[in-house]
Amino acid sequence: MTITERLYYDDSYTLTFDARVIERLTWHDHPAVVLDRSYFYPEGGGQLPDLGTLSSIRVIDVQTRDSDRAVIHVLESLINAEIVSGAIDSERRRDLRLHHSGQHILSAALIQAANAPTVSVHMSLDSMTIDVNHAPLSTDEILAVESLANRVVQDDLAVRCYFPDADALAALKLRKLPDVSGKVRVVDIGGFDVTACGGTHVARTGAIGLIKIVKVEKRSGGARVEFKCGDRALADYRAKNDVIAALAADLSVGYTDLPDAVARLHEEIRVLRTELKPLREAAIESEARALLAATLETNGLRVVVAAFEGRDTESIKALATHLVAQPGTVALLGLAGDKAQLIFAAADGLTVNVVPALKAALKWLGTDRGGGRPNFAQGGGIAADRATIMAALEEARSLLPT
């Protein structure tokens, strides 16, 4: 027999109530109480728990005790009263209530419009996802699923939550078979979806407002559908609309012309890169010649040591390649910045191994992230200014033959 009367089974909208404390306990190092009756929903069925207060003391978690199905109200601090007044976080309850109903509708729509049964559901305050055993979901299938789900919302169907007797339960065509013993609670969304569920739900589908699929990605053996309902869907629309409006304004086009404008930009960038490539190569080759000319050769070895800032890593790699194209040359180059890089290289035919030198320089910088081959090694990834980089390069230089 269940100790706590779960009032939310029959009423997902009442948020305040009085109840009697029938047990005090500790739950994962926090004080907790069991009440004789409660509107607080305990975590389960993929749905997060309600939060709120009991006589002004914060309820930080709500769970079900496996042994007797008692609802455990986990508290921020001790409560001494025998009769307590409960108050549930209304926005959290509202958000989870409409998303849970939205998930039922979307799961049914996935079956009807895409033959994609739900395998699992993840519900959180940041992300709502449904995993299905059907992949890939085509664009047409996704649009059909979304349209069907929103027609159910717009039709404002009544949502009935009830406990049928054994005979009535056996006659129902449930989308999801119950994984419980004893009485089974059924959620019937206007006949569109009928399934076993113990969660909180809207009274009518119109309260959901909107169901929007925001992402579909492949998963092992299926797909994951991420969706948003109600206020979350509105916030998502506003954020994306702001981005689109800003981009359209920057490019001086209407938002419907953005794809063409971006395509033109890509083509312009491609042309500019093609034109710039030989100029970059010529500049790096000239830079390499200047560095080689400024570096003395000792016993057939020329070690070029240089630190840079405000450059990209690829240009420094290209410079190192040009330098070590000259026989007998070792390049110890560094790039200062928030994610500083060291790039060491040695010309073919040299017996110099640049890896130990790199390790010594990285140790100087206070990191060990890096490695490579005897003739090429790279590492870094931490913040360092040009002076610090130069000091690390000099440390590496001291390990090379003189």
Side-chain angles (χ1 to χ4, degrees), residues 280-295:
R280 284 171 58 92
E281 289 178 351
I284 288 174
E285 185 175 347
S286 175
E287 185 177 20
R289 285 198 301 267
L291 287 170
L292 289 168
T295 304

Side-chain angles (χ1 to χ4, degrees), residues 222-283:
R224 172 163 291 178
V225 179
E226 183 176 354
F227 68 99
K228 296 179 185 291
C229 299
D231 290 342
R232 289 200 215 183
L234 178 60
D236 183 72
Y237 177 85
R238 284 173 173 168
K240 290 173 179 174
N241 188 68
D242 288 345
V243 170
I244 291 171
L247 289 173
D250 284 345
L251 297 176
S252 300
V253 298
Y255 80 91
T256 56
D257 296 323
L258 274 175
D260 289 339
V262 171
R264 287 194 298 272
L265 283 177
H266 278 304
E267 178 60 18
E268 290 174 9
I269 291 170
R270 186 192 67 78
V271 171
L272 289 172
R273 281 178 174 171
T274 301
E275 296 175 350
L276 183 61
K277 185 176 181 180
L279 299 176
R280 284 171 58 92
E281 289 178 351

Side-chain angles (χ1 to χ4, degrees), residues 113-282:
N115 191 29
T118 293
V119 175
S120 62
V121 174
H122 173 76
M123 303 174 66
S124 75
L125 297 179
D126 299 317
S127 174
M128 310 291 293
T129 60
I130 298 173
D131 287 355
V132 298
N133 62 359
H134 174 91
L137 283 169
S138 70
T139 299
D140 287 344
E141 286 175 324
I142 294 166
L143 292 175
V145 167
E146 189 176 76
S147 295
L148 177 57
N150 280 287
R151 282 200 297 272
V152 173
V153 171
Q154 293 157 13
D155 286 345
D156 196 28
L157 303 180
V159 179
R160 181 189 179 201
C161 303
Y162 67 108
F163 289 89
D165 59 33
D167 291 339
L169 180 64
L172 293 174
K173 295 182 179 180
L174 300 179
R175 171 176 54 82
K176 178 184 175 184
L177 296 175
D179 186 23
V180 296
S181 58
K183 296 176 65 178
V184 174
R185 183 170 178 257
V186 169
V187 177
D188 182 347
I189 301 180
F192 178 76
D193 182 61
V194 183
T195 193
C197 178
T200 57
H201 288 274
V202 298
R204 304 191 69 88
T205 60
I208 298 170
L210 175 69
I211 299 175
K212 183 72 185 80
I213 295 174
V214 296
K215 185 194 300 184
V216 178
E217 56 186 4
K218 292 181 181 179
R219 306 288 291 181
S220 178
R224 172 163 291 178
V225 179
E226 183 176 354
F227 68 99
K228 296 179 185 291
C229 299
D231 290 342
R232 289 200 215 183
L234 178 60
D236 183 72
Y237 177 85
R238 284 173 173 168
K240 290 173 179 174
N241 188 68
D242 288 345
V243 170
I244 291 171
L247 289 173
D250 284 345
L251 297 176
S252 300
V253 298
Y255 80 91
T256 56
D257 296 323
L258 274 175
D260 289 339
V262 171
R264 287 194 298 272
L265 283 177
H266 278 304
E267 178 60 18
E268 290 174 9
I269 291 170
R270 186 192 67 78
V271 171
L272 289 172
R273 281 178 174 171
T274 301
E275 296 175 350
L276 183 61
K277 185 176 181 180
L279 299 176
R280 284 171 58 92
E281 289 178 351

